[in-house]
Amino acid sequence: EADIYQTPRYLVIGTGKKITLECSQTMGHDKMYWYQQDPGMELHLIHYSYGVNSTEKGDLSSESTVSRIRTEHFPLTLESARPSHTSQYLCASNPRGAGADTQYFGPGTRLTVL
Amino acid sequence: AQKITQTQPGMFVQEKEAVTLDCTYDTSDPSYGLFWYKQPSSGEMIFLIYQGSYDQQNATEGRYSLNFQKARKSANLVISASQLGDSAMYFCAMRDSNSGGSNYKLTFGKGTLLTVNP
């Protein structure tokens, strides 16, 4: 399994603010992902990275951006938050070696934009 | 077309009984992986079980087993001896090779909300 850390767990913020959601893992995993999930709905991939300085957009278009400057850190940024960004954001990574196909998830960040 | 289909928005089961959650998938790739995750009301995604397309045996993990029927493209999750703590959303997901590319991305179904009654 992977220990994936996400902060904050909950965030309530006003429209127009810039926010950064943090995701980190200390296992040296190369592959990391960001998903967006509305309550009771399926997960949609919005960004992924297969290594340092490598980021790609996912299947769902998102106004957020990501960076991967260090292996262990994969932050997601919204330059100007809007109510439509209200959702849960889940970070995940693949371990190396046995079980490398499986994504393990962090606890998520529940974002509310007023 | 939907890659992953979960046709049961909600399911109810009595405590200690077994329950099957349905999942069908669509892919033309010979190499793929199927996953089930549990999401309690707290929101985290918990990995339960994995089945590879070339695996001969159905996957099992404790009270969880995956009924893999390749010809029917189904990967149903069976939970035996349900417990109150099993009440949660359950998501089926698939990783395929994305038509020959190197792909580790998952596609998720819409989920099934399981309620275990005492």
Side-chain angles (χ1 to χ4, degrees), chain A residues 52-113:
Chain A
V52 171
N53 294 325
S54 161
T55 61
E56 301 285 345
K57 290 189 178 296
D59 304 319
L60 180 69
S61 176
S62 173
E63 294 169 344
S64 59
T65 59
V66 292
S67 62
R68 191 86 184 277
I69 298 171
R70 301 198 317 262
T71 298
E72 63 270 23
H73 199 213
F74 191 38
L76 181 145
T77 298
L78 277 165
E79 290 292 333
S80 180
R82 295 207 301 262
S84 61
H85 296 139
T86 295
S87 192
Q88 172 162 252
Y89 293 84
L90 289 154
C91 182
S93 75
N94 291 92
R96 294 179 175 178
D101 276 354
T102 302
Q103 289 184 22
Y104 292 94
F105 284 79
T109 295
R110 294 197 186 198
L111 173 66
T112 302
V113 184

